[in-house]
Amino acid sequence: MNTLELTLEVNGKQRTVTTWPAARLLDVLREDLGLTGTKEGCGEGECGACGVLLDGVLVNSCLVPAIQTQGRSVLTVEGLAADPRYAALLQAFREQGAAQCGSCTPGMLLAAAELLTSGVVPDERAVRQALAGNLCRCTGYTKIIAAVRAAAASLGGADGR
Ligand code: FES
Ligand code: FES
């Protein structure tokens, strides 16, 4: 059976895995690296549950062929949770009750992280746009949007990380 040897940076650490040539980034993260914080929802690029930052840009990891991540840098929710720059975002999600079942939460957090570091002034419209690719069946979105806005405010605006 053909295999693919892949070296990439995940959450600040160089990782090498041997996987299968058609693997998706999502498969490498969850199955090869055991980073199960990244969720699979639809598997078709529609729900955002599998969102990670690839070289700082939000992607749906279910749509990214692993081979395209050779030598690149990935941030997952595990890396986000360990990074003090995102502590205010996590705290805001807790305080606002923005997570219920939690399936969408990792993708929401990564989408919010991209927004908070983008230089865009995160008013409600910008937050809604940033999260437009992330579906939540539990919260009605209000608390999630409030949490991202609270995090932005506590960070001092658009680029307060
Ligand atoms: S699992 Fe990737 S977008 Fe839904
Ligand atoms: S908290 Fe359940 S899907 Fe969003």
Side-chain angles (χ1 to χ4, degrees):
M1 179 179 148
N2 289 339
T3 57
L4 169 70
E5 185 166 299
L6 184 68
T7 299
L8 68 169
E9 184 187 295
V10 180
N11 300 332
K13 292 189 183 140
Q14 199 85 347
R15 305 295 298 265
T16 298
V17 299
T18 301
T19 189
W20 49 296
R24 308 167 298 173
L25 176 57
L26 178 62
D27 304 319
V28 169
L29 294 173
R30 288 183 58 86
E31 294 169 22
D32 297 314
L33 296 175
L35 295 169
T36 54
T38 303
K39 304 303 182 199
E40 178 157 17
C42 64
E44 297 177 348
E46 298 292 337
C47 74
C50 63
V52 299
L53 298 190
L54 179 60
D55 293 336
V57 176
L58 185 70
V59 296
N60 288 325
S61 61
C62 71
L63 294 184
V64 177
I67 196 169
Q68 289 183 5
T69 67
Q70 185 80 257
R72 299 176 72 184
S73 172
V74 176
L75 181 71
T76 73
V77 71
E78 289 89 350
L80 182 150
D83 187 334
R85 293 174 299 176
Y86 300 111
L89 179 60
L90 292 173
Q91 186 181 347
F93 264 65
R94 277 194 293 272
E95 288 177 354
Q96 298 286 337
Q100 290 185 21
C101 81
S103 295
C104 71
T105 308
M108 290 284 184
L109 287 168
L110 270 303
E114 184 192 45
L115 173 68
L116 294 176
T117 57
S118 69
V120 171
V121 176
D123 59 11
E124 179 167 343
R125 190 157 173 268
V127 173
R128 285 186 181 278
Q129 278 182 348
L131 303 182
N134 296 74
L135 304 183
C136 177
R137 65 192 168 194
C138 303
T139 67
Y141 300 97
T142 303
K143 293 176 178 178
I144 295 171
I145 291 163
V148 177
R149 295 194 70 195
S154 76
L155 291 171
D159 55 357
R161 58 183 272 200

